[in-house]
Amino acid sequence: MAVVISVANQKGGVGKTTLTMNLGYALADMGKRVLLVDVDPQFNLTFGLIGMRVLDYAERHVGTLMTRESEIDESLISVRENLDLIPSHLNLSAKEIEIINAYNRERRLEKALLPVLPDYDYVLIDNPPSMGIFLVNSLTASDYVLIPLELSYFGVIGMQLMFNLMRMIREETNENLKLLGLVPNKFTKQTKVPKLRLKELKETYPDAPILTTIPKAIALEKAQSEGKSIFEFDGKSRAAKAFLKLAKEVVEIAEG
């Protein structure tokens, strides 16, 4: 049965999609069967993986799964060996009102994924940078939350919003939800600020696991612009090595 992980942060621009994509590739390279799920109406993960083919999935994407207008087998896209995708779409936002007004609305994603969970080792869910029905569904369906963040003042302060939301989800829809860890992203040693913020983060949240730091790298930006993982673009780069290390940490925590 798959371990379901939400990659989430209510602050935008912290690298959720980049982390989801490259962690998925790293786990797949380790021989894990991985399903990526894009519940962000901006569909950056989907576009990064399949490009303009996103237009072909107007009637079989994550939104139509949640409104029960399509079956999950129709929506699965094979990206490469060991790696599949359930896409987002241009019209996902239009489904939000339908889902909000639906019965058992918080569990629509959980129920949609249930039939395929035995087929995978990991399900990684890429989330929108805001609290809404898609993020609530994602956290309700998940075993763990992985939180990428930038080590800026507002990035560290914003962590409390995520912890408050996780506490609410545990009380209302998913008492077993756990924090997998925090992933400092876009880290640079060129100034003292990131190191200072990392120290503050550890002091403020001493019980929160801080996982591998992902460096700020031009290779990551170029890879994303070309629709490639960092492993396809430059498998020997510092960023590729960091994501592989992160994948090993995730497996160690999730599988003991």
Side-chain angles (χ1 to χ4, degrees):
M1 188 68 74
V3 176
V4 183
I5 302 170
S6 279
V7 180
N9 191 327
Q10 289 170 268
K11 187 178 185 303
V14 296
K16 291 185 293 295
T17 298
T18 301
L19 190 151
T20 304
M21 178 178 176
N22 287 292
L23 177 58
Y25 268 84
L27 290 168
D29 283 342
M30 293 170 63
K32 304 297 182 181
R33 297 166 300 166
V34 182
L35 174 63
L36 304 180
V37 182
D38 190 355
V39 298
D40 188 346
Q42 296 182 24
F43 64 91
N44 290 327
L45 177 64
T46 299
F47 190 78
L49 291 170
I50 66 171
M52 292 304 295
R53 286 171 55 204
V54 64
L55 299 176
D56 299 334
Y57 291 87
E59 298 178 358
R60 46 196 177 114
H61 55 81
V62 71
T64 59
L65 283 178
M66 293 171 69
T67 56
R68 299 175 183 168
E69 297 171 88
S70 63
E71 300 294 328
I72 195 163
D73 290 344
E74 301 173 307
S75 304
L76 288 171
I77 302 171
S78 177
V79 176
R80 48 151 289 181
E81 185 180 4
N82 290 332
L83 189 66
D84 294 340
L85 168 71
I86 294 177
S88 179
H89 193 268
L90 313 177
N91 62 19
L92 180 58
S93 294
K95 296 294 179 185
E96 187 169 5
I97 295 176
E98 292 181 53
I99 296 166
I100 287 173
N101 292 321
Y103 172 74
N104 214 8
R105 61 189 180 185
E106 297 90 354
R107 298 190 179 279
R108 286 304 179 104
L109 182 62
E110 179 184 36
K111 290 184 178 294
L113 293 176
L114 195 58
V116 299
L117 291 184
D119 300 332
Y120 296 96
D121 298 304
Y122 289 90
V123 175
L124 304 181
I125 308 175
D126 187 27
N127 288 278
S130 60
M131 182 179 172
I133 194 63
F134 295 119
L135 180 55
V136 170
N137 262 267
S138 178
L139 297 180
T140 298
S142 294
D143 301 299
Y144 292 99
V145 182
L146 189 63
I147 306 177
L149 74 157
E150 284 192 73
L151 291 170
S152 64
Y153 176 77
F154 291 109
V156 173
I157 293 298
M159 287 306 306
Q160 192 58 49
L161 293 174
M162 273 306 303
F163 290 137
N164 291 345
L165 177 57
M166 288 177 65
R167 183 167 57 250
M168 182 192 78
I169 292 293
R170 288 191 193 104
E171 292 173 353
E172 300 294 337
T173 62
N174 183 3
E175 63 182 13
N176 297 315
L177 183 66
K178 296 180 286 293
L179 175 65
L180 184 64
L182 312 179
V183 180
N185 203 10
K186 304 180 183 179
F187 187 82
T188 176
K189 296 180 180 179
Q190 293 179 347
T191 69
K192 295 181 180 180
V193 174
K195 288 184 179 180
L196 177 62
R197 298 301 178 219
L198 184 59
K199 181 174 180 289
E200 291 175 349
L201 191 68
K202 291 177 179 178
E203 292 172 351
T204 306
Y205 304 107
D207 297 327
I210 297 178
L211 306 184
T212 297
T213 297
I214 307 298
K216 184 174 184 179
I218 294 176
L220 271 174
E221 297 174 9
K222 289 183 176 179
Q224 191 166 4
S225 69
E226 294 182 18
K228 295 180 179 179
S229 72
I230 188 62
F231 302 99
E232 296 167 305
F233 184 82
D234 185 357
K236 296 182 179 179
S237 64
R238 287 189 306 126
K241 292 176 182 177
F243 274 111
L244 184 57
K245 183 179 177 183
L246 176 63
K248 291 176 180 178
E249 287 180 328
V250 167
V251 169
E252 184 177 345
I253 294 170
E255 300 181 20

PDB file of all heavy atoms in Angstrom, residues 169-195:
ATOM      1  N   ILE A 169      -6.589  19.707  10.505  1.00  0.00           N
ATOM      2  CA  ILE A 169      -6.878  18.489   9.747  1.00  0.00           C
ATOM      3  C   ILE A 169      -6.872  17.268  10.668  1.00  0.00           C
ATOM      4  O   ILE A 169      -7.732  16.381  10.558  1.00  0.00           O
ATOM      5  CB  ILE A 169      -5.850  18.308   8.611  1.00  0.00           C
ATOM      6  CG1 ILE A 169      -6.030  19.404   7.550  1.00  0.00           C
ATOM      7  CG2 ILE A 169      -5.969  16.928   7.970  1.00  0.00           C
ATOM      8  CD1 ILE A 169      -7.319  19.340   6.780  1.00  0.00           C
ATOM      9  N   ARG A 170      -5.917  17.223  11.593  1.00  0.00           N
ATOM     10  CA  ARG A 170      -5.878  16.092  12.534  1.00  0.00           C
ATOM     11  C   ARG A 170      -7.147  16.038  13.385  1.00  0.00           C
ATOM     12  O   ARG A 170      -7.657  14.958  13.694  1.00  0.00           O
ATOM     13  CB  ARG A 170      -4.656  16.223  13.452  1.00  0.00           C
ATOM     14  CG  ARG A 170      -3.327  15.945  12.789  1.00  0.00           C
ATOM     15  CD  ARG A 170      -2.218  15.825  13.827  1.00  0.00           C
ATOM     16  NE  ARG A 170      -0.902  15.860  13.218  1.00  0.00           N
ATOM     17  CZ  ARG A 170      -0.094  16.903  13.241  1.00  0.00           C
ATOM     18  NH1 ARG A 170      -0.476  18.031  13.851  1.00  0.00           N
ATOM     19  NH2 ARG A 170       1.096  16.851  12.669  1.00  0.00           N
ATOM     20  N   GLU A 171      -7.647  17.190  13.769  1.00  0.00           N
ATOM     21  CA  GLU A 171      -8.846  17.240  14.618  1.00  0.00           C
ATOM     22  C   GLU A 171     -10.117  16.904  13.856  1.00  0.00           C
ATOM     23  O   GLU A 171     -11.061  16.351  14.424  1.00  0.00           O
ATOM     24  CB  GLU A 171      -8.973  18.637  15.239  1.00  0.00           C
ATOM     25  CG  GLU A 171      -7.891  18.962  16.255  1.00  0.00           C
ATOM     26  CD  GLU A 171      -7.941  20.409  16.715  1.00  0.00           C
ATOM     27  OE1 GLU A 171      -8.739  21.189  16.133  1.00  0.00           O
ATOM     28  OE2 GLU A 171      -7.170  20.779  17.625  1.00  0.00           O
ATOM     29  N   GLU A 172     -10.147  17.206  12.544  1.00  0.00           N
ATOM     30  CA  GLU A 172     -11.400  17.111  11.791  1.00  0.00           C
ATOM     31  C   GLU A 172     -11.478  15.929  10.833  1.00  0.00           C
ATOM     32  O   GLU A 172     -12.524  15.276  10.748  1.00  0.00           O
ATOM     33  CB  GLU A 172     -11.623  18.415  10.995  1.00  0.00           C
ATOM     34  CG  GLU A 172     -11.724  19.664  11.864  1.00  0.00           C
ATOM     35  CD  GLU A 172     -12.947  19.670  12.756  1.00  0.00           C
ATOM     36  OE1 GLU A 172     -13.925  18.976  12.429  1.00  0.00           O
ATOM     37  OE2 GLU A 172     -12.924  20.383  13.786  1.00  0.00           O
ATOM     38  N   THR A 173     -10.409  15.639  10.087  1.00  0.00           N
ATOM     39  CA  THR A 173     -10.552  14.652   8.999  1.00  0.00           C
ATOM     40  C   THR A 173      -9.472  13.573   8.943  1.00  0.00           C
ATOM     41  O   THR A 173      -9.673  12.552   8.293  1.00  0.00           O
ATOM     42  CB  THR A 173     -10.578  15.355   7.628  1.00  0.00           C
ATOM     43  OG1 THR A 173      -9.336  16.055   7.418  1.00  0.00           O
ATOM     44  CG2 THR A 173     -11.741  16.334   7.529  1.00  0.00           C
ATOM     45  N   ASN A 174      -8.321  13.777   9.573  1.00  0.00           N
ATOM     46  CA  ASN A 174      -7.237  12.802   9.432  1.00  0.00           C
ATOM     47  C   ASN A 174      -6.341  12.839  10.659  1.00  0.00           C
ATOM     48  O   ASN A 174      -5.327  13.525  10.689  1.00  0.00           O
ATOM     49  CB  ASN A 174      -6.418  13.108   8.172  1.00  0.00           C
ATOM     50  CG  ASN A 174      -5.315  12.092   7.916  1.00  0.00           C
ATOM     51  OD1 ASN A 174      -5.173  11.111   8.641  1.00  0.00           O
ATOM     52  ND2 ASN A 174      -4.527  12.316   6.877  1.00  0.00           N
ATOM     53  N   GLU A 175      -6.719  12.071  11.662  1.00  0.00           N
ATOM     54  CA  GLU A 175      -5.982  12.098  12.932  1.00  0.00           C
ATOM     55  C   GLU A 175      -4.585  11.495  12.812  1.00  0.00           C
ATOM     56  O   GLU A 175      -3.738  11.690  13.690  1.00  0.00           O
ATOM     57  CB  GLU A 175      -6.768  11.345  14.008  1.00  0.00           C
ATOM     58  CG  GLU A 175      -6.957   9.877  13.728  1.00  0.00           C
ATOM     59  CD  GLU A 175      -7.767   9.168  14.790  1.00  0.00           C
ATOM     60  OE1 GLU A 175      -8.388   9.862  15.625  1.00  0.00           O
ATOM     61  OE2 GLU A 175      -7.791   7.919  14.805  1.00  0.00           O
ATOM     62  N   ASN A 176      -4.300  10.782  11.731  1.00  0.00           N
ATOM     63  CA  ASN A 176      -3.006  10.115  11.566  1.00  0.00           C
ATOM     64  C   ASN A 176      -2.000  10.925  10.751  1.00  0.00           C
ATOM     65  O   ASN A 176      -0.901  10.440  10.478  1.00  0.00           O
ATOM     66  CB  ASN A 176      -3.211   8.750  10.903  1.00  0.00           C
ATOM     67  CG  ASN A 176      -4.036   7.816  11.769  1.00  0.00           C
ATOM     68  OD1 ASN A 176      -3.819   7.709  12.966  1.00  0.00           O
ATOM     69  ND2 ASN A 176      -5.001   7.135  11.159  1.00  0.00           N
ATOM     70  N   LEU A 177      -2.360  12.137  10.356  1.00  0.00           N
ATOM     71  CA  LEU A 177      -1.460  12.956   9.551  1.00  0.00           C
ATOM     72  C   LEU A 177      -0.206  13.322  10.346  1.00  0.00           C
ATOM     73  O   LEU A 177      -0.290  13.784  11.477  1.00  0.00           O
ATOM     74  CB  LEU A 177      -2.183  14.234   9.108  1.00  0.00           C
ATOM     75  CG  LEU A 177      -1.404  15.172   8.186  1.00  0.00           C
ATOM     76  CD1 LEU A 177      -1.156  14.512   6.833  1.00  0.00           C
ATOM     77  CD2 LEU A 177      -2.158  16.487   8.006  1.00  0.00           C
ATOM     78  N   LYS A 178       0.959  13.121   9.716  1.00  0.00           N
ATOM     79  CA  LYS A 178       2.232  13.388  10.390  1.00  0.00           C
ATOM     80  C   LYS A 178       3.109  14.297   9.528  1.00  0.00           C
ATOM     81  O   LYS A 178       2.990  14.317   8.307  1.00  0.00           O
ATOM     82  CB  LYS A 178       2.981  12.074  10.662  1.00  0.00           C
ATOM     83  CG  LYS A 178       2.268  11.136  11.623  1.00  0.00           C
ATOM     84  CD  LYS A 178       3.039   9.866  11.870  1.00  0.00           C
ATOM     85  CE  LYS A 178       3.008   8.905  10.700  1.00  0.00           C
ATOM     86  NZ  LYS A 178       1.667   8.341  10.452  1.00  0.00           N
ATOM     87  N   LEU A 179       3.991  15.017  10.196  1.00  0.00           N
ATOM     88  CA  LEU A 179       4.975  15.843   9.501  1.00  0.00           C
ATOM     89  C   LEU A 179       6.159  14.969   9.122  1.00  0.00           C
ATOM     90  O   LEU A 179       6.825  14.401   9.994  1.00  0.00           O
ATOM     91  CB  LEU A 179       5.434  16.998  10.394  1.00  0.00           C
ATOM     92  CG  LEU A 179       6.561  17.865   9.825  1.00  0.00           C
ATOM     93  CD1 LEU A 179       6.102  18.600   8.564  1.00  0.00           C
ATOM     94  CD2 LEU A 179       7.063  18.855  10.884  1.00  0.00           C
ATOM     95  N   LEU A 180       6.420  14.852   7.824  1.00  0.00           N
ATOM     96  CA  LEU A 180       7.593  14.101   7.370  1.00  0.00           C
ATOM     97  C   LEU A 180       8.859  14.909   7.596  1.00  0.00           C
ATOM     98  O   LEU A 180       9.891  14.381   8.022  1.00  0.00           O
ATOM     99  CB  LEU A 180       7.440  13.749   5.892  1.00  0.00           C
ATOM    100  CG  LEU A 180       8.522  12.873   5.266  1.00  0.00           C
ATOM    101  CD1 LEU A 180       8.541  11.501   5.922  1.00  0.00           C
ATOM    102  CD2 LEU A 180       8.285  12.728   3.768  1.00  0.00           C
ATOM    103  N   GLY A 181       8.770  16.211   7.326  1.00  0.00           N
ATOM    104  CA  GLY A 181       9.923  17.058   7.562  1.00  0.00           C
ATOM    105  C   GLY A 181       9.837  18.375   6.814  1.00  0.00           C
ATOM    106  O   GLY A 181       8.944  18.589   5.990  1.00  0.00           O
ATOM    107  N   LEU A 182      10.770  19.263   7.134  1.00  0.00           N
ATOM    108  CA  LEU A 182      10.913  20.545   6.455  1.00  0.00           C
ATOM    109  C   LEU A 182      12.102  20.446   5.506  1.00  0.00           C
ATOM    110  O   LEU A 182      13.134  19.864   5.853  1.00  0.00           O
ATOM    111  CB  LEU A 182      11.166  21.671   7.466  1.00  0.00           C
ATOM    112  CG  LEU A 182      10.249  21.734   8.694  1.00  0.00           C
ATOM    113  CD1 LEU A 182      10.667  22.897   9.586  1.00  0.00           C
ATOM    114  CD2 LEU A 182       8.800  21.851   8.288  1.00  0.00           C
ATOM    115  N   VAL A 183      11.948  21.015   4.323  1.00  0.00           N
ATOM    116  CA  VAL A 183      13.036  20.981   3.334  1.00  0.00           C
ATOM    117  C   VAL A 183      13.445  22.416   2.994  1.00  0.00           C
ATOM    118  O   VAL A 183      12.749  23.100   2.235  1.00  0.00           O
ATOM    119  CB  VAL A 183      12.613  20.247   2.042  1.00  0.00           C
ATOM    120  CG1 VAL A 183      13.774  20.226   1.046  1.00  0.00           C
ATOM    121  CG2 VAL A 183      12.157  18.827   2.355  1.00  0.00           C
ATOM    122  N   PRO A 184      14.537  22.909   3.562  1.00  0.00           N
ATOM    123  CA  PRO A 184      15.033  24.234   3.176  1.00  0.00           C
ATOM    124  C   PRO A 184      15.393  24.226   1.690  1.00  0.00           C
ATOM    125  O   PRO A 184      16.194  23.394   1.241  1.00  0.00           O
ATOM    126  CB  PRO A 184      16.267  24.424   4.057  1.00  0.00           C
ATOM    127  CG  PRO A 184      16.049  23.493   5.219  1.00  0.00           C
ATOM    128  CD  PRO A 184      15.342  22.305   4.623  1.00  0.00           C
ATOM    129  N   ASN A 185      14.789  25.134   0.928  1.00  0.00           N
ATOM    130  CA  ASN A 185      14.931  25.111  -0.520  1.00  0.00           C
ATOM    131  C   ASN A 185      15.589  26.394  -1.014  1.00  0.00           C
ATOM    132  O   ASN A 185      15.570  27.414  -0.331  1.00  0.00           O
ATOM    133  CB  ASN A 185      13.547  24.950  -1.166  1.00  0.00           C
ATOM    134  CG  ASN A 185      13.623  24.376  -2.563  1.00  0.00           C
ATOM    135  OD1 ASN A 185      14.669  23.917  -3.008  1.00  0.00           O
ATOM    136  ND2 ASN A 185      12.515  24.405  -3.275  1.00  0.00           N
ATOM    137  N   LYS A 186      16.176  26.325  -2.193  1.00  0.00           N
ATOM    138  CA  LYS A 186      16.845  27.469  -2.817  1.00  0.00           C
ATOM    139  C   LYS A 186      17.895  28.059  -1.874  1.00  0.00           C
ATOM    140  O   LYS A 186      18.039  29.283  -1.735  1.00  0.00           O
ATOM    141  CB  LYS A 186      15.817  28.545  -3.212  1.00  0.00           C
ATOM    142  CG  LYS A 186      14.712  28.035  -4.126  1.00  0.00           C
ATOM    143  CD  LYS A 186      13.726  29.138  -4.471  1.00  0.00           C
ATOM    144  CE  LYS A 186      12.582  28.628  -5.314  1.00  0.00           C
ATOM    145  NZ  LYS A 186      11.595  29.687  -5.652  1.00  0.00           N
ATOM    146  N   PHE A 187      18.630  27.169  -1.211  1.00  0.00           N
ATOM    147  CA  PHE A 187      19.597  27.588  -0.191  1.00  0.00           C
ATOM    148  C   PHE A 187      20.866  28.135  -0.845  1.00  0.00           C
ATOM    149  O   PHE A 187      21.399  27.567  -1.788  1.00  0.00           O
ATOM    150  CB  PHE A 187      19.951  26.400   0.703  1.00  0.00           C
ATOM    151  CG  PHE A 187      20.810  26.765   1.887  1.00  0.00           C
ATOM    152  CD1 PHE A 187      20.230  27.297   3.030  1.00  0.00           C
ATOM    153  CD2 PHE A 187      22.179  26.579   1.856  1.00  0.00           C
ATOM    154  CE1 PHE A 187      21.012  27.632   4.135  1.00  0.00           C
ATOM    155  CE2 PHE A 187      22.965  26.908   2.952  1.00  0.00           C
ATOM    156  CZ  PHE A 187      22.379  27.438   4.081  1.00  0.00           C
ATOM    157  N   THR A 188      21.348  29.249  -0.341  1.00  0.00           N
ATOM    158  CA  THR A 188      22.588  29.835  -0.832  1.00  0.00           C
ATOM    159  C   THR A 188      23.495  30.200   0.340  1.00  0.00           C
ATOM    160  O   THR A 188      23.021  30.605   1.401  1.00  0.00           O
ATOM    161  CB  THR A 188      22.314  31.093  -1.689  1.00  0.00           C
ATOM    162  OG1 THR A 188      23.568  31.674  -2.067  1.00  0.00           O
ATOM    163  CG2 THR A 188      21.481  32.121  -0.928  1.00  0.00           C
ATOM    164  N   LYS A 189      24.798  30.060   0.133  1.00  0.00           N
ATOM    165  CA  LYS A 189      25.771  30.416   1.159  1.00  0.00           C
ATOM    166  C   LYS A 189      26.365  31.800   0.920  1.00  0.00           C
ATOM    167  O   LYS A 189      27.307  32.210   1.612  1.00  0.00           O
ATOM    168  CB  LYS A 189      26.895  29.375   1.191  1.00  0.00           C
ATOM    169  CG  LYS A 189      26.435  27.981   1.598  1.00  0.00           C
ATOM    170  CD  LYS A 189      27.597  27.005   1.620  1.00  0.00           C
ATOM    171  CE  LYS A 189      27.147  25.607   2.037  1.00  0.00           C
ATOM    172  NZ  LYS A 189      28.258  24.634   2.032  1.00  0.00           N
ATOM    173  N   GLN A 190      25.809  32.514  -0.047  1.00  0.00           N
ATOM    174  CA  GLN A 190      26.389  33.815  -0.413  1.00  0.00           C
ATOM    175  C   GLN A 190      26.120  34.885   0.629  1.00  0.00           C
ATOM    176  O   GLN A 190      26.816  35.895   0.677  1.00  0.00           O
ATOM    177  CB  GLN A 190      25.850  34.243  -1.775  1.00  0.00           C
ATOM    178  CG  GLN A 190      26.321  33.341  -2.914  1.00  0.00           C
ATOM    179  CD  GLN A 190      25.754  33.753  -4.260  1.00  0.00           C
ATOM    180  OE1 GLN A 190      24.839  34.559  -4.332  1.00  0.00           O
ATOM    181  NE2 GLN A 190      26.301  33.190  -5.328  1.00  0.00           N
ATOM    182  N   THR A 191      25.098  34.728   1.436  1.00  0.00           N
ATOM    183  CA  THR A 191      24.841  35.669   2.532  1.00  0.00           C
ATOM    184  C   THR A 191      24.654  34.887   3.822  1.00  0.00           C
ATOM    185  O   THR A 191      24.470  33.665   3.815  1.00  0.00           O
ATOM    186  CB  THR A 191      23.564  36.506   2.261  1.00  0.00           C
ATOM    187  OG1 THR A 191      22.417  35.638   2.352  1.00  0.00           O
ATOM    188  CG2 THR A 191      23.608  37.141   0.878  1.00  0.00           C
ATOM    189  N   LYS A 192      24.671  35.609   4.946  1.00  0.00           N
ATOM    190  CA  LYS A 192      24.515  34.959   6.244  1.00  0.00           C
ATOM    191  C   LYS A 192      23.047  34.719   6.599  1.00  0.00           C
ATOM    192  O   LYS A 192      22.746  33.980   7.542  1.00  0.00           O
ATOM    193  CB  LYS A 192      25.167  35.825   7.333  1.00  0.00           C
ATOM    194  CG  LYS A 192      26.679  35.974   7.188  1.00  0.00           C
ATOM    195  CD  LYS A 192      27.246  36.834   8.311  1.00  0.00           C
ATOM    196  CE  LYS A 192      28.755  36.975   8.174  1.00  0.00           C
ATOM    197  NZ  LYS A 192      29.323  37.820   9.266  1.00  0.00           N
ATOM    198  N   VAL A 193      22.130  35.353   5.863  1.00  0.00           N
ATOM    199  CA  VAL A 193      20.716  35.288   6.220  1.00  0.00           C
ATOM    200  C   VAL A 193      20.161  33.859   6.245  1.00  0.00           C
ATOM    201  O   VAL A 193      19.517  33.461   7.219  1.00  0.00           O
ATOM    202  CB  VAL A 193      19.873  36.191   5.291  1.00  0.00           C
ATOM    203  CG1 VAL A 193      18.380  35.996   5.570  1.00  0.00           C
ATOM    204  CG2 VAL A 193      20.258  37.643   5.497  1.00  0.00           C
ATOM    205  N   PRO A 194      20.376  33.038   5.190  1.00  0.00           N
ATOM    206  CA  PRO A 194      19.816  31.685   5.233  1.00  0.00           C
ATOM    207  C   PRO A 194      20.291  30.862   6.432  1.00  0.00           C
ATOM    208  O   PRO A 194      19.503  30.145   7.053  1.00  0.00           O
ATOM    209  CB  PRO A 194      20.296  31.074   3.912  1.00  0.00           C
ATOM    210  CG  PRO A 194      20.480  32.237   3.008  1.00  0.00           C
ATOM    211  CD  PRO A 194      21.009  33.320   3.896  1.00  0.00           C
ATOM    212  N   LYS A 195      21.588  30.975   6.769  1.00  0.00           N
ATOM    213  CA  LYS A 195      22.107  30.239   7.925  1.00  0.00           C
ATOM    214  C   LYS A 195      21.450  30.721   9.217  1.00  0.00           C
ATOM    215  O   LYS A 195      21.119  29.914  10.096  1.00  0.00           O
ATOM    216  CB  LYS A 195      23.624  30.403   8.016  1.00  0.00           C
ATOM    217  CG  LYS A 195      24.394  29.656   6.943  1.00  0.00           C
ATOM    218  CD  LYS A 195      25.896  29.800   7.170  1.00  0.00           C
ATOM    219  CE  LYS A 195      26.680  29.029   6.120  1.00  0.00           C
ATOM    220  NZ  LYS A 195      28.157  29.152   6.328  1.00  0.00           N
TER     221      LYS A 195
END
